[in-house]
């Protein structure tokens, strides 16, 4: 039973321009769970984990799946790089949709962020042979610069992964262009030092992300029978110098909306975080992003929105949808509690004794428990 409360705006239906409708404005954010089978299929505990969190939200964006075997970014990551994985993907899509949520598959290539041990040849790749900078002043492995032929192959892989998502019954795909992975590596002046058609000035650094978007949209046009969502997730800035600035981000937004897509997803650890550089506007990044999008596409916002009040305030920034990641790990019944007028009962700290109740697979649980500071933990 839905009760009219101050938080009711979170429960309003939302319709995308293409006609796909969500039952509310709350989205499960994409989160790696380290729990897939070694062959790239989705495990039973993983399906149960998603099922547990699909009852309340309007849309679930899955953990990222690799579109190329050389782009596997995590142990226990599921894949979409060959047709043999379609039945596994279908099982996950059906589990999510069976609980009333729309199912969106996040597709990606890890690039230089991939652990070498996860790659068939142990060699990371990127736009250029520039290693990532690590906290504390260290560096990641030196990647090999992709050839032109390899780049065009990966672009095609994104299209093929989209076809598989369509055949598996997903309602959409989200292109993962955030968090330092391959699409961001091509857009960033830190990781892209190329001097060919895939790098150089800002427009050339946009070439790869836009080519991926076109490949995905072409696959949708060719294979989707009904409406199908195409979203794009991006990180607004980078701490490195040189690196992506807010000015670069505005150019990316202009380019993506100019191509046309169903939504943009701003990846932030804190929704209200402030810009570093590239703008003289001191307002939070998310407000500037919404202004720049200018209504050309819905914006999904995410970042430490643990309570219903946090999420409701998030809508005040102008975003259309609120994504919850860590909050749904802590309390899978977050949306139901809001709908039933029990928002005060939402849990905001992880209970170390509640793994079974929360339906969190062992690999993810171990990562949560042993990653200090990433999640508030009940003491």
């Amino acid at each position: 039973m839905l009760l009219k409360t101050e938080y009711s705006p979170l429960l309003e239906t939302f319709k995308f321009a293409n006609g796909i409708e969500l039952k509310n404005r709350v989205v499960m954010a994409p989160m790696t769970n380290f729990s897939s089978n070694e062959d790239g299929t989705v495990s039973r505990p993983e399906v149960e984990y998603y099922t547990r969190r699909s009852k309340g939200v309007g849309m679930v964006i899955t953990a990222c799946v690799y579109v190329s075997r050389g782009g596997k970014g995590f142990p226990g990551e599921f894949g979409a790089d060959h047709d043999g994985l379609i039945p596994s993907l279908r099982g996950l899509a059906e589990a999510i949709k069976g609980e009333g949520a729309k199912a969106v598959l996040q597709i990606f290539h890890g690039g230089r962020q991939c652990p070498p041990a996860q790659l068939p040849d142990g060699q990371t790749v990127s736009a250029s042979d520039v290693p990532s900078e690590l906290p504390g002043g260290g560096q990641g492995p030196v990647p090999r610069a992709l050839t032109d032929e390899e780049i065009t192959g990966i672009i095609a892989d994104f299209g093929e992964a989209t076809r598989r998502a369509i055949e598996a019954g997903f309602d959409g795909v989200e292109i993962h262009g955030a968090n330092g992975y391959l699409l961001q590596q091509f857009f960033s002046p830190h990781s892209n030092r190329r001097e060919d058609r895939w790098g150089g000035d800002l427009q050339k650094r946009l070439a790869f992300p836009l080519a991926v978007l076109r490949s995905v949209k072409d696959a949708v046009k060719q294979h989707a029978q009904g409406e199908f969502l195409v979203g794009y997730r991006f990180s607004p800035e980078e701490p490195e110098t040189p690196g992506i600035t807010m000015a670069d981000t505005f150019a990316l937004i202009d380019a993506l909306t100019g191509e046309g897509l169903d939504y943009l997803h701003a990846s932030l650890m804190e929704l209200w975080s402030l810009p570093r550089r590239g703008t003289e506007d001191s307002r939070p990044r998310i407000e500037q992003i919404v202004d720049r999008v200018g209504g050309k596409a819905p914006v999904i916002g995410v970042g430490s929105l643990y309570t219903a009040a946090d999420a409701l305030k998030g809508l005040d920034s102008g975003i259309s949808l609120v994504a919850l990641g860590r909050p749904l790990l802590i309390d899978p019944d977050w949306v139901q509690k809001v709908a039933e007028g029990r928002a005060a009962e939402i849990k905001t700290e992880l209970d170390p004794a509640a793994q079974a109740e929360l339906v969190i697979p062992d690999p993810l649980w171990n990562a949560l428990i042993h990653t200090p500071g990433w999640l508030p933990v009940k003491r």
Side-chain angles (χ1 to χ4, degrees):
M1 179 179 134
L2 294 179
L3 299 178
K4 188 77 173 174
T5 72
E6 62 185 300
Y7 304 117
S8 294
L10 294 167
L11 306 175
E12 293 172 355
T13 59
F14 179 80
K15 183 178 284 190
F16 290 95
N18 69 2
I20 288 181
E21 186 170 321
L22 309 185
K23 63 184 178 183
N24 58 50
R25 291 177 180 253
V26 184
V27 174
M28 179 175 172
M31 291 178 288
T32 298
N33 56 59
F34 313 106
S35 301
S36 304
N37 298 318
E38 187 58 36
D39 63 359
T41 57
V42 181
S43 68
R44 173 51 50 185
E46 205 171 2
V47 172
E48 293 169 352
Y49 157 84
Y50 278 108
T51 301
R52 180 74 175 86
R53 287 160 178 79
S54 299
K55 291 177 171 65
V57 297
M59 184 167 83
V60 170
I61 305 171
T62 71
C64 56
V65 299
Y66 51 89
V67 302
S68 313
R69 185 57 187 83
K72 183 177 180 180
F74 306 93
E77 179 186 357
F78 65 109
D81 63 320
H82 62 85
D83 285 2
L85 294 173
I86 292 174
S88 170
L89 295 169
R90 184 178 295 118
L92 177 57
E94 290 175 350
I96 293 169
K97 294 165 71 171
E99 299 298 331
K102 299 298 183 186
V104 172
L105 187 71
Q106 190 186 64
I107 54 178
F108 106 132
H109 189 296
R112 70 180 185 180
Q113 300 295 92
C114 295
Q118 296 300 318
L119 305 178
D121 62 357
Q123 175 62 62
T124 59
V125 295
S126 186
S128 301
D129 58 354
V130 179
S132 57
E133 296 181 6
L134 303 177
Q139 290 186 330
V142 177
R144 176 178 61 77
L146 288 160
T147 66
D148 186 273
E149 183 179 8
E150 288 173 321
I151 292 168
T152 56
I154 291 171
I155 291 166
D157 289 342
F158 273 93
E160 283 292 278
T162 301
R163 173 184 61 79
R164 295 179 187 112
I166 292 166
E167 293 184 14
F170 279 90
D171 298 295
V173 293
E174 177 173 283
I175 301 166
H176 196 350
N179 301 7
Y181 299 124
L182 189 63
L183 275 89
Q184 183 173 330
Q185 289 163 35
F186 268 87
F187 182 52
S188 169
H190 180 272
S191 41
N192 188 346
R193 312 289 174 90
R194 302 178 74 97
E195 296 180 352
D196 60 2
R197 62 177 176 147
W198 303 110
D201 62 19
L202 178 65
Q203 291 306 312
K204 286 187 174 180
R205 286 189 279 111
L206 280 166
F208 180 73
L210 295 182
V212 167
L213 176 57
R214 290 168 191 147
S215 178
V216 167
K217 290 178 64 178
D218 286 347
V220 173
K221 186 176 181 180
Q222 186 174 347
H223 299 288
Q225 299 299 312
E227 300 305 333
F228 190 85
L229 297 170
V230 175
Y232 190 103
R233 195 178 207 214
F234 65 96
S235 294
E237 290 186 275
E238 291 180 322
E240 295 90 352
T241 302
I244 295 170
T245 67
M246 285 300 292
D248 294 326
T249 298
F250 295 150
L252 175 66
I253 289 170
D254 293 347
L256 293 171
T257 55
E259 290 286 329
L261 74 177
D262 294 297
Y263 70 82
L264 289 167
H265 187 175
S267 181
L268 296 163
M269 281 294 286
E270 303 286 340
L271 182 71
W272 300 103
S273 61
L274 300 177
R276 292 186 182 92
R277 58 192 172 180
T279 176
E280 294 182 1
D281 190 333
S282 61
R283 291 179 302 154
R285 294 169 173 139
I286 192 64
E287 293 184 2
Q288 298 188 51
I289 289 165
V290 168
D291 283 356
R292 189 69 179 211
V293 173
K296 298 184 186 77
V299 177
I300 300 177
V302 67
S304 302
L305 305 175
Y306 289 99
T307 68
D310 291 338
L312 185 66
K313 183 186 175 189
L315 290 179
D316 292 340
S317 70
I319 59 177
S320 299
L321 299 166
V322 172
L324 305 180
R326 291 169 290 174
L328 287 179
L329 294 176
I330 295 168
D331 194 338
D333 299 317
W334 196 102
V335 180
Q336 294 92 312
K337 287 179 178 178
V338 173
E340 295 165 5
R342 299 189 294 127
E345 298 176 27
I346 290 173
K347 296 172 183 173
T348 57
E349 296 177 318
L350 184 71
D351 183 348
Q355 181 186 1
E357 176 192 343
L358 298 176
V359 192
I360 295 178
D362 289 343
L364 175 57
W365 184 258
N366 291 333
L368 296 176
I369 294 300
H370 295 112
T371 307
W374 192 75
L375 209 61
V377 177
K378 186 177 178 182
R379 302 297 178 189

